[in-house]
Amino acid sequence: IGKGAALLELDQRKRKILVAIIKNYLETGEPVGSRTISKYSDLKLSSATIRNEMSDLEEMGYIIQPHTSAGRIPSDKGYRLYVDNIMKEKSLTIKEKSLIDNVIRNDILKFDSLMQEASNILSKLTNYASIAIEPELDNCEVEEIKLVKIGHDRLMIVILANNGIIKESIVKYDEEITEQNIEIFNNYLNYKLQGRNFKEIYDNVDEYVGHELENINEKIVPLFAELNNLLINKNAKVHMEGATKLLDLPELKKTDTLKNFLNIIETQDAIKEIARSGYDGNINVYIGNECAFEDLKDFTIITYKQSINDKDIGTIGLIGPTRMDYKTVIPMIKYIGDTIQEKMKQGGDDNVRKRE
């Protein structure tokens, strides 16, 4: 059923009862009975009428009864209707925006530090496990390589990709390295690698760099080795914060659910796969069994895949129980993601120049 059709399937009374069940369950984590729903002042329905409506909602697949004697809880389908058609997003407070702005708009030069800080603040503000995933660089091109002298015996190598991502590392020498050497190496690396994509360079690294200049100056050897390391680490890195916060939730008191969660955070394969499947520039919400992974059937993953000029610059998101405070966390993720994109747009060449 499409988004609009799902909403039309329910009359106003059923919709109000479903919303009351979802809101109550989100707050308490306890199955919701008809007597609890009857206390909602705007419904003005008897417990018997509510029971009948709840029975219909259960038959339609919007709520389920976890135990014979228990009340009802929302199903994945119920949450989906709520998120897509009913929920009104909660605006961030001035304080929340200020906290995010101070962290992300601070002068963080390294992209992985930026993603780490984004993950930290997201977990802190939501009390769920946050994820920040760096982009795969296979399809990105080298825009510029810059070598910057730090002290007399250290050299920073900075690789700027055409999506604004910066990879950097420091090479230490046993003796002073001259400005002439730096200029030769810098010109050579840019001549060989500029405009080529990361995968092409990694697969043919000896063809592009190495023996030719190695015969000219042995000081290129450690620089070449560090460049290799940067290229090897081209795969997406997952930053996760606040995983232990979920351990206190009632949902994770079940042994199977706990095992599944521990497996998710240990392997990270499911997280990466879901992050790749999202649409750029949109909030993507995967609820329970909508995820293609058995380990995630009791969880919701919300991701925001960011891009600049159609180039992937990373994904941020949250992992939590399906009983998640969607109206609060979705705008939070969106605001943090948009702030990262602004930061990245202001970066690029300017970030490289700051190292000069």
Side-chain angles (χ1 to χ4, degrees):
I1 298 176
K3 291 183 181 181
L7 191 61
L8 291 172
E9 188 182 26
L10 300 181
D11 59 34
Q12 190 174 20
R13 181 191 285 178
K14 285 185 175 63
R15 205 178 307 158
K16 281 187 174 182
I17 291 173
L18 177 61
V19 170
I21 292 170
I22 291 173
K23 286 184 175 179
N24 194 276
Y25 185 62
L26 290 178
E27 289 171 8
T28 67
E30 296 293 331
V32 184
S34 57
R35 290 184 65 184
T36 301
I37 300 301
S38 66
K39 294 174 185 175
Y40 279 72
S41 58
D42 61 332
L43 286 175
K44 297 177 182 177
L45 299 170
S46 68
S47 292
T49 302
I50 292 172
R51 277 196 298 273
N52 289 335
E53 296 288 5
M54 288 173 71
S55 180
D56 289 344
L57 286 169
E58 187 173 2
E59 283 185 19
M60 298 165 81
Y62 290 103
I63 58 176
I64 56 176
Q65 189 173 18
H67 308 291
T68 306
S69 59
R72 308 301 198 277
I73 65 174
S75 65
D76 295 345
K77 182 180 177 181
Y79 281 127
R80 172 55 62 194
L81 180 71
Y82 173 72
V83 170
D84 287 348
N85 298 104
I86 299 173
M87 176 191 78
K88 292 182 179 179
E89 292 183 3
K90 183 180 176 184
S91 298
L92 274 70
T93 65
I94 294 173
K95 183 178 179 182
E96 287 168 340
K97 287 183 178 180
S98 179
L99 279 169
I100 294 166
D101 292 346
N102 288 340
V103 167
I104 295 176
R105 289 184 177 151
N106 193 20
D107 194 19
I108 300 169
L109 296 179
K110 290 181 69 175
F111 181 75
D112 56 355
S113 298
L114 178 63
M115 296 301 276
Q116 184 79 56
E117 291 299 329
S119 187
N120 283 340
I121 192 68
L122 184 55
S123 178
K124 180 179 178 180
L125 291 173
T126 63
N127 283 318
Y128 295 120
S130 63
I131 52 173
I133 306 172
E134 295 181 17
E136 300 279 356
L137 292 177
D138 275 356
N139 297 318
C140 292
E141 296 173 356
V142 173
E143 188 165 298
E144 185 179 2
I145 294 177
K146 199 148 204 68
L147 302 178
V148 182
K149 190 175 182 180
I150 304 174
H152 72 283
D153 61 350
R154 287 184 300 162
L155 199 59
M156 177 183 282
I157 178 169
V158 182
I159 304 177
L160 174 65
N162 66 339
N163 63 349
I165 303 302
I166 293 170
K167 304 279 281 185
E168 62 179 39
S169 190
I170 294 175
V171 181
K172 193 174 188 309
Y173 288 90
D174 294 330
E175 56 185 303
E176 184 171 0
I177 184 162
T178 67
E179 294 291 347
Q180 184 181 10
N181 280 335
I182 294 172
E183 185 177 357
I184 291 171
F185 299 161
N186 199 83
N187 291 340
Y188 176 80
L189 290 174
N190 277 288
Y191 170 71
K192 285 286 189 178
L193 305 181
Q194 212 166 30
R196 300 188 184 277
N197 72 43
F198 277 70
K199 187 176 189 310
E200 181 187 359
I201 296 169
Y202 179 69
D203 290 344
N204 305 281
V205 71
D206 284 334
E207 180 185 335
Y208 295 135
V209 186
H211 304 303
E212 185 179 322
L213 195 62
E214 190 177 316
N215 295 329
I216 299 171
N217 193 314
E218 63 180 13
K219 286 188 172 66
I220 191 70
V221 176
L223 190 61
F224 172 50
E226 198 54 45
L227 175 68
N228 229 356
N229 287 335
L230 287 175
L231 293 172
I232 288 169
N233 293 323
K234 64 188 176 5
N235 293 326
K237 186 189 295 183
V238 179
H239 300 284
M240 181 176 284
E241 296 293 332
T244 55
K245 293 178 181 179
L246 297 190
L247 301 181
D248 294 329
L249 296 175
E251 289 86 347
L252 269 79
K253 301 304 179 188
K254 299 176 185 175
T255 305
D256 289 346
T257 307
L258 177 59
K259 283 181 180 177
N260 288 342
F261 179 65
L262 294 176
N263 190 46
I264 292 164
I265 62 176
E266 182 180 355
T267 64
Q268 299 185 343
D269 293 339
I271 296 170
K272 286 184 182 180
E273 188 65 32
I274 288 170
R276 286 193 202 102
S277 68
Y279 293 101
D280 290 0
N282 286 326
I283 291 288
N284 302 282
V285 183
Y286 307 89
I287 302 172
N289 285 304
E290 294 176 356
C291 299
F293 297 88
E294 177 67 18
D295 288 347
L296 287 169
K297 63 183 175 64
D298 297 309
F299 299 91
T300 287
I301 292 188
I302 304 175
T303 65
Y304 182 30
K305 192 174 181 182
Q306 303 145 91
S307 64
I308 295 177
N309 299 325
D310 297 324
K311 296 291 183 181
D312 179 17
I313 63 164
T315 301
I316 62 165
L318 286 174
I319 302 176
T322 52
R323 184 180 67 90
M324 186 181 278
D325 186 7
Y326 296 98
K327 71 179 186 300
T328 300
V329 302
I330 288 176
M332 189 85 67
I333 295 170
K334 187 77 164 64
Y335 187 83
I336 291 175
D338 289 343
T339 307
I340 290 173
Q341 286 193 142
E342 278 182 39
K343 173 73 176 176
M344 294 300 295
K345 284 177 182 175
Q346 294 165 5
D349 292 337
D350 290 341
N351 279 343
V352 175
R353 290 190 194 104
K354 286 175 184 177
R355 292 170 168 79
E356 292 179 302

